[in-house]
Every structure is written in C-alpha cells, then in structure tokens.
Amino acid sequence: MEKLLTTTLLICCLTVFGQEKKSEETIFVVKEEQAIFFGCEKIGGKTAREKCTYQKIYEYIGKNIDSKLAIKEGIKGKYKIKVTIKIDREGNISETITDSEHKKIDRKIKKSFKKFPQMIPNKQNNIKRATSFTIPLILIGK
C-alpha cells in the first residue's frame, strides 16, 4: 500500500512538471525611474538624480532627527539602525520601518518621517509604482 501511494505521488508530480509552460510575463528587477525628490528631476543623468535624492534624504534626516537622540536614551557608542521608507504611487510616505530595539528611538524616527516631503514617484513602463528606500543611520551615544 505504501509503495502504491509513493508511486502514485511520483507519477502525479512528473505529470504536473511535464505540463508546465514558460511564463510570458516580464519580471522587472531594475527600476526604470527611481522615486526622486522635487528639484532633483532637473539634474541630467539617472545616477546624478539618484545621488541628489539620497543627498536630500540625508539633509532631511540631519534637520529632523535629533543628533543627541542616542545620548538622551543612554546608548553608549555607535548605534546602527536601518530605516526603510515606503513611497506610494503618489510619492508620499506610506510607511516607515526601523530595526531599532529601542521603542523611544523607533517612535521618534517614525514621527520625524511623518513630515517627509512628497517625492516624484517611481515609474516602470511609464506607470507610477510604489517603492522603498532603505537608509542606514548611525546614532552616536556616550
């Protein structure tokens, strides 16, 4: 009985894989046009626009996240955090995710990104798409 069940399962698996067709869908790994800050769209070249966008993101962080946050929370040394901001189809932040283990730091970083300016959304085949940015931050404690 056990051999019959094993043989039947093997035949079914072979039949399913034998009938499999290649997909005609195209999967995009590279973004055609990355979401960018307003003002960066005027810069020539995709790489230069992306560099400008990251520069503006870090300028925003420098102005809106307290540089003494780690000290205030009693953290010693360097405290590394990854912040992921999700940008919706309209260019607005839809979610902010951090990998911080400190709830107060997590809350303050998320709160600071609520005022993040609207961006020009990501495009793929000239269609607006949601995207995300992952930003490494290092907070310096005592």
Side-chain angles (χ1 to χ4, degrees), residues 9-61:
L9 286 173
L10 182 61
I11 291 170
C12 287
C13 290
L14 291 174
T15 304
V16 169
F17 288 120
Q19 293 176 357
E20 189 176 41
K21 293 181 180 179
K22 288 187 178 182
S23 174
E24 297 295 324
E25 293 181 29
T26 304
I27 298 172
F28 296 100
V29 177
V30 178
K31 296 170 184 156
E32 223 173 80
E33 294 178 42
Q34 175 68 48
I36 55 175
F37 253 84
F38 282 99
C40 294
E41 78 276 9
K42 297 173 185 172
I43 296 173
K46 180 180 174 183
T47 304
R49 284 191 298 273
E50 289 175 5
K51 184 177 178 182
C52 174
T53 294
Y54 274 100
Q55 182 179 345
K56 298 278 186 184
I57 290 171
Y58 279 108
E59 285 174 12
Y60 177 86
I61 289 168

Side-chain angles (χ1 to χ4, degrees), residues 13-121:
C13 290
L14 291 174
T15 304
V16 169
F17 288 120
Q19 293 176 357
E20 189 176 41
K21 293 181 180 179
K22 288 187 178 182
S23 174
E24 297 295 324
E25 293 181 29
T26 304
I27 298 172
F28 296 100
V29 177
V30 178
K31 296 170 184 156
E32 223 173 80
E33 294 178 42
Q34 175 68 48
I36 55 175
F37 253 84
F38 282 99
C40 294
E41 78 276 9
K42 297 173 185 172
I43 296 173
K46 180 180 174 183
T47 304
R49 284 191 298 273
E50 289 175 5
K51 184 177 178 182
C52 174
T53 294
Y54 274 100
Q55 182 179 345
K56 298 278 186 184
I57 290 171
Y58 279 108
E59 285 174 12
Y60 177 86
I61 289 168
K63 291 177 185 173
N64 292 283
I65 295 179
D66 185 357
S67 62
K68 297 181 181 176
L69 186 58
I71 294 170
K72 290 178 182 177
E73 295 306 319
I75 294 172
K76 295 181 181 178
K78 292 181 181 179
Y79 183 63
K80 297 178 183 180
I81 304 170
K82 277 193 282 184
V83 179
T84 301
I85 54 173
K86 294 186 177 184
I87 311 294
D88 66 17
R89 291 179 182 186
E90 302 307 314
N92 300 306
I93 284 193
S94 60
E95 187 177 8
T96 304
I97 303 165
T98 73
D99 67 351
S100 174
E101 296 173 2
H102 295 274
K103 290 183 181 180
K104 284 186 180 179
I105 289 176
D106 182 63
R107 247 184 286 129
K108 288 181 180 182
I109 288 174
K110 286 181 179 180
K111 183 179 179 182
S112 69
F113 276 98
K114 288 188 187 264
K115 301 172 198 164
F116 196 79
Q118 184 179 23
M119 298 177 72
I120 298 169

